[in-house]
Amino acid sequence: MGIVLIWSLVLILMRWISHKRRGAISYDSEDQTALYIRMLDVRVRSQVGFEPERRGSHPYLYVDFRTLHSRPEAARPVSARNVRRLLSFQRYLHSSRFFHGIPANNPLGYILDDDFTGQAKLMLQKVGNWNFDIFLFDRLTNGNSLVNLTFHLFNTYGLIELFQLDMVKLRRFLVMIQEDYHCQNPYHNAVHAADVTQAMYCYLQEPKLAETLTSCDLLLGLLAAATHDLDHPGVNQPFLIKTDHYLAALYKNSSVLENHHWKSAVGLLRESDLLSHLPTEDRLNMEERLGSLILATDISRQNDYLSEFRTHLDKGDLCLTNGGHRHFILQMALKCADICNPCRPWKLSKQWSEKVTEEFFHQGDIERKHNLEVTPLCDRQSNSVANIQIGFMAYVVEPLFVEWSRFSDTRLSQTMMSHLSLNKQGWNEGRDKQEASSSRASEEQRTPATKDSNSKVLPQGSKGS
Ligand SMILES: [Zn+2]
């Protein structure tokens, strides 16, 4: 009983501190501040199990995004989340004491704790491989791939020492990020964020970038990758707009999700105090750059970025000693990392394709259920995984990676283009087989009625021959 009482007091204290810090966040516009605080309030309330108060102005639809993709067994109460955060925090203290004074020739020792298996350690040694299996790594780390991978990369680059980051705060920050991804989303969850972070690391290692990027670029590149879809609701921007969601109003129907991911990341950075020891001007500058990177992942603005990239490549005027140009390349790298699934080996790529389609179709099901116009890509009655992938590869992925390969003509780029081509072939063959089997099936349905009547009729085209 005594332990339960102490835990309760600790939880109440933590919630009070967290609430105080949230209250301290300030934003430029008063309206935005009010809306954002209201949004945070809704999130906090829904997390602690209250019915959200604001239901939007839409007369017939309210969707609680926290339960949108939930399955009964996946539902987790918020108190469990807070306890888990606290436990993670304490476990880290234990492991940091354990590893205190560990020799520098064992860099992995700083980040490993009792949860790691030998296989996860081995995987981290090959984190720069393009065929890195993030699904396996996530299983080996008990669903903590984002925390462990990002911590490892920060450590690998020496960012903890360079920026004098408090390791406990960093760990806590990463746990909060991971927890703020919705594990119920089939695709936009923490494993996708970990996958994008791993891809980003591969690009940061490419010679042109590795030779020129500063420590600040590396820090922001990894941070942006890890947070770029933070608190993603599992539905797209048009859905938020047509349901009059408050996020659409807050960001004036423009890059709604990306703005939310950015502001959520800034909220967690401030809540964790990770960068609070840095001068205010530097910190604000980093928050702005983080936003600029995350906003670049808005797929509806892809053509703007792509034409600017093409122009630079045609002119050959990209100079990576120039800070602005380096930032632009980081934006392009993050865009590539975000949509690189079709450039992974088939075994990984196929899993991602199925997950993203499941999320699309789920949105379509909700739209149909509530008599909303069903988004074309989300209609399971007129689409298939293969069709969606073939279009996505042809119109979105390939144009981007063709330009990236012009910029960074390396073995990695050749590997990615080769996988892209093979995967396209795989989906085309899959679609052909599916179409052939469905036409066979419809043929067989007609056969009993037509077989006898047509049995003595010559096949079409042979008449008169
Ligand atoms: Zn993403």
Side-chain angles (χ1 to χ4, degrees), residues 181 187-189 192-193 196 225 228-230 232 261 297 334 337-339:
Y181 277 96
Y187 183 83
H188 287 105
N189 52 43
H192 165 62
V196 172
H228 81 283
D229 274 331
L230 197 57
H232 196 295
H261 305 320
T297 62
L334 182 60
D338 193 24
I339 60 167

Side-chain angles (χ1 to χ4, degrees), residues 324-436:
H325 286 188
R326 281 202 312 277
H327 183 77
F328 179 67
I329 289 305
L330 274 182
Q331 288 178 316
M332 297 312 296
L334 182 60
K335 286 178 66 57
C336 288
D338 193 24
I339 60 167
C340 73
N341 296 157
C343 302
R344 297 281 196 180
W346 172 253
K347 183 186 150 207
L348 301 172
S349 180
K350 183 169 177 282
Q351 290 183 69
W352 287 121
S353 304
E354 287 164 353
K355 285 173 188 298
V356 79
T357 310
E358 189 185 343
E359 194 167 298
F360 286 171
F361 286 174
H362 199 126
Q363 177 180 325
D365 293 345
I366 296 165
E367 290 168 335
R368 187 173 289 108
K369 185 178 166 191
H370 293 278
N371 296 320
L372 294 166
E373 188 187 348
V374 179
T375 307
L377 271 182
C378 300
D379 191 349
R380 69 169 75 240
Q381 292 171 359
S382 59
N383 275 300
S384 66
V385 184
N387 274 335
I388 292 173
Q389 284 304 308
I390 290 164
F392 180 56
M393 287 180 183
Y395 299 114
V396 182
V397 181
E398 197 163 356
L400 179 62
F401 279 87
V402 163
E403 300 307 326
W404 180 263
S405 300
R406 277 176 73 199
F407 165 70
S408 179
D409 186 11
T410 62
R411 201 170 144 198
L412 172 61
S413 292
Q414 287 160 14
T415 303
M416 292 192 298
M417 293 307 284
S418 162
H419 284 310
L420 181 62
S421 170
L422 287 169
N423 293 338
K424 205 185 331 177
Q425 199 181 323
W427 286 120
N428 271 315
E429 284 170 7
R431 181 173 65 176
D432 292 348
K433 274 184 198 162
Q434 199 180 11
E435 283 174 359

Side-chain angles (χ1 to χ4, degrees), residues 36-190:
Y36 198 69
I37 287 172
R38 188 161 61 196
M39 178 187 77
L40 283 174
D41 191 41
V42 168
R43 278 188 49 211
V44 172
R45 281 168 184 275
S46 64
Q47 283 166 12
V48 293
F50 288 106
E51 183 75 6
E53 283 174 356
R54 180 174 167 79
R55 290 173 179 265
S57 54
H58 201 276
Y60 54 88
L61 177 63
Y62 170 76
V63 178
D64 182 352
F65 294 117
R66 292 234 153 234
T67 58
L68 189 62
H69 295 289
S70 67
R71 301 170 185 90
E73 67 275 16
R76 293 183 301 178
V78 155
S79 55
R81 167 191 155 130
N82 287 340
V83 170
R84 218 174 23 258
R85 277 189 185 178
L86 194 61
L87 285 175
S88 174
F89 181 76
Q90 290 197 333
R91 190 178 63 211
Y92 182 73
L93 281 176
H94 169 76
S95 59
S96 65
R97 276 201 300 272
F98 179 75
F99 286 112
H100 183 71
I102 203 159
N105 60 5
N106 183 10
L108 285 179
Y110 286 104
I111 61 156
L112 301 179
D113 60 23
D114 297 342
D115 288 338
F116 269 80
T117 65
Q119 284 170 296
K121 289 181 197 175
L122 285 175
M123 283 195 78
L124 277 180
Q125 287 173 353
K126 295 185 177 177
V127 69
N129 283 11
W130 188 246
N131 58 1
F132 189 86
D133 187 341
I134 197 70
F135 300 111
L136 175 61
F137 185 69
D138 195 61
R139 287 196 295 275
L140 292 174
T141 55
N142 296 324
N144 291 302
S145 53
L146 184 58
V147 171
N148 290 302
L149 186 118
T150 313
F151 199 106
H152 173 70
L153 296 179
F154 267 60
N155 194 50
T156 301
Y157 277 131
L159 297 172
I160 298 170
E161 278 191 9
L162 277 166
F163 288 90
Q164 299 185 320
L165 301 177
D166 181 316
M167 290 210 284
V168 175
K169 286 180 183 173
L170 174 61
R171 176 90 182 189
R172 185 165 172 264
F173 169 68
L174 294 176
V175 170
M176 288 195 294
I177 288 179
Q178 186 174 271
E179 292 287 316
D180 275 7
Y181 277 96
H182 300 201
C183 61
Q184 301 95 334
N185 289 346
Y187 183 83
H188 287 105
N189 52 43

